[in-house]
Amino acid sequence: ETGVTQSPTHLIKTRGQQVTLRCSSQSGHNTVSWYQQALGQGPQFIFQYYREEENGRGNFPPRFSGLQFPNYSSELNVNALELDDSALYLCASSPGTANEKLFFGSGTQLSVL
Amino acid sequence: GENVEQHPSTLSVQEGDSAVIKCTYSDSASNYFPWYKQELGKRPQLIIDIRSNVGEKKDQRIAVTLNKTAKHFSLHITETQPEDSAVYFCAAIRAGNMLTFGGGTRLMVKP
């Protein structure tokens, strides 16, 4: 059984650029959620994908978008990066849409300069 | 939406002592309350969870209690060990909704 893997582990971008983060879900899990964790804070829900469709969204602007692929892997895209987007981005997979018993990846640390 | 507050933000205990972390939530419809442990530089990991139809749940040295009337729940760690040092997050969710995390508690266990 493989765990949740994310790539890249670290990324440095400049303001205004675009970024794509990737996540492979745990084997057997069909739901992927993305979270933003600012330094010293709890993770904040960005959105969830189930069967390749967005299935819930937190309080994030439209420049945060995502995709889920037939193999349940997922991408998070952020356009027009702002300094405040600097954070750890966590992907979590679960066997259903209930957001219970999440398995998190190790995250992508994004720095926007 | 749901709002989860967590206290204290930092907690220092001596090895062998007990540690208690408390959370309050705002949405009375919330029915699932997990606790995650995040060691420095690592992923959050689920350590225990409780549903709203249960008042207490234990797993070895870890227990969680839930008071639905007061809308608060607590994590209890007994006989703390240095490897318990980490940031602990509580969270709350209601069916079909998103998971809302507390701000975290940094627990330091001194040998």
Side-chain angles (χ1 to χ4, degrees):
Chain A
E1 183 178 83
T2 58
V4 178
T5 57
Q6 291 186 243
S7 63
T9 55
H10 296 82
L11 203 51
I12 299 175
K13 292 284 189 179
T14 55
R15 195 170 49 181
Q17 285 188 309
Q18 178 266 344
V19 69
T20 297
L21 311 181
R22 295 179 174 83
C23 171
S24 294
S25 62
Q26 178 147 326
S27 176
H29 287 185
N30 56 15
T31 302
V32 173
S33 302
W34 286 91
Y35 289 81
Q36 181 194 68
Q37 186 177 22
L39 191 63
Q41 297 181 23
Q44 283 201 299
F45 177 73
I46 303 175
F47 44 55
Q48 179 188 81
Y49 276 83
Y50 173 66
R51 291 187 176 178
E52 303 176 54
E53 292 197 2
E54 189 178 288
N55 186 46
R57 189 178 183 94
N59 190 27
F60 280 82
R63 59 190 185 84
F64 285 79
S65 63
L67 284 173
Q68 187 181 31
F69 300 99
N71 65 356
Y72 306 132
S73 65
S74 177
E75 285 183 356
L76 164 65
N77 299 290
V78 187
N79 293 322
L81 283 167
E82 300 177 1
L83 299 179
D84 285 349
D85 295 335
S86 296
L88 179 68
Y89 288 85
L90 294 163
C91 166
S93 72
S94 54
T97 60
N99 274 317
E100 298 181 2
K101 301 194 187 298
L102 298 179
F103 286 78
F104 282 91
S106 296
T108 294
Q109 185 66 54
L110 173 65
S111 298
V112 182
L113 307 178
Chain B
E2 176 67 277
N3 183 48
V4 178
E5 304 221 348
Q6 185 171 346
H7 299 281
S9 55
T10 59
L11 179 59
S12 182
V13 299
Q14 208 64 40
E15 183 178 357
D17 287 350
S18 295
V20 180
I21 302 170
K22 299 180 180 180
C23 289
T24 59
Y25 60 99
S26 61
D27 189 345
S28 56
S30 288
N31 59 4
Y32 175 70
F33 307 91
W35 286 86
Y36 285 83
K37 174 184 180 182
Q38 188 174 28
E39 296 176 57
L40 190 63
K42 296 194 175 179
R43 69 191 74 196
Q45 289 192 299
L46 178 69
I47 55 171
I48 196 167
D49 55 9
I50 191 169
R51 296 188 184 280
S52 58
N53 59 349
V54 175
E56 182 175 358
K57 184 177 179 181
K58 290 182 77 171
D59 183 3
Q60 299 182 340
R61 296 186 297 108
I62 294 173
V64 57
T65 58
L66 171 65
N67 183 326
K68 282 196 303 181
T69 304
K71 290 190 284 187
H72 67 70
F73 55 113
S74 300
L75 178 71
H76 305 253
I77 306 175
T78 58
E79 300 171 26
T80 53
Q81 301 166 3
E83 50 265 39
D84 294 331
S85 296
V87 179
Y88 291 81
F89 293 99
C90 63
I93 189 173
R94 65 176 187 178
N97 213 321
M98 65 185 186
L99 197 59
T100 301
F101 283 86
T105 296
R106 181 172 299 280
L107 174 64
M108 293 171 284
V109 180
K110 299 181 204 173

